Amino acid sequence: MDYFIRPWRLYAEPTGRATRREYGAFLLTAGGAIALALALSALAAARLEPIERHQDAVAGLTMLALLGFVLLFGAAPLAAVTARRLHDLGRSGWWLPAGLAGWPLLLLLPGSPGTNRFGIDPRAPRRARVAATIVKITTSSPKMKIG
């Protein structure tokens, strides 16, 4: 279940890698939020029925306000999880603003196996991820004399 929560928790963190499962779960929850916003706008328009002269305008404005709210708070997590998904494929996150990343392909393509320049493989067993982190820390820190 962490793959549903992780993209929202790391909403402003474009570093690291994201699996296909995490990316698909984010798209599913974001799509659900948009569907919920549309349903709530339809309910709000029905409740505001006494305003008969401007009923369509009120319904449209309610829908735009709710969708704007969802899109406003969903844009940063979408960009971050897409950048992390591109990193899992071995690509730079700069492909996102260039428009070279079609999101359906990101769900279909498997990530690069093992550690790449963007981080440790998120599909690797936990023991391998811990070992790779230790190696990264020991090789990046200055050499110290022990003893």
Side-chain angles (χ1 to χ4, degrees), residues 6 14 16 23 27 32 45-46 51 65 90 98 111 136 140:
R6 189 170 186 264
Y23 188 68
L27 292 179
I51 308 172
K136 181 180 176 184
S140 64

Side-chain angles (χ1 to χ4, degrees), residues 70-87:
V70 169
L71 294 176
L72 176 70
F73 290 104
L78 175 64
V81 76
T82 304
R84 288 195 309 271
R85 181 68 193 130
L86 286 167
H87 291 171

Side-chain angles (χ1 to χ4, degrees), residues 35-96:
L36 182 65
L38 289 173
L40 287 175
S41 67
L43 286 173
R47 293 287 293 165
L48 297 172
E49 192 173 321
I51 308 172
E52 290 181 18
R53 282 182 35 189
H54 304 291
Q55 184 178 3
D56 292 337
V58 169
L61 288 175
T62 306
M63 182 177 68
L64 282 176
L66 288 171
L67 281 176
F69 180 77
V70 169
L71 294 176
L72 176 70
F73 290 104
L78 175 64
V81 76
T82 304
R84 288 195 309 271
R85 181 68 193 130
L86 286 167
H87 291 171
D88 192 41
L89 296 171
R91 305 281 188 255
S92 170
W94 286 105
W95 281 44
L96 178 63

Side-chain angles (χ1 to χ4, degrees), residues 16-47:
R17 296 169 66 170
T19 62
R20 288 184 286 185
R21 178 181 285 177
E22 181 182 334
Y23 188 68
F26 175 79
L27 292 179
L28 186 67
T29 56
I34 290 172
L36 182 65
L38 289 173
L40 287 175
S41 67
L43 286 173
R47 293 287 293 165

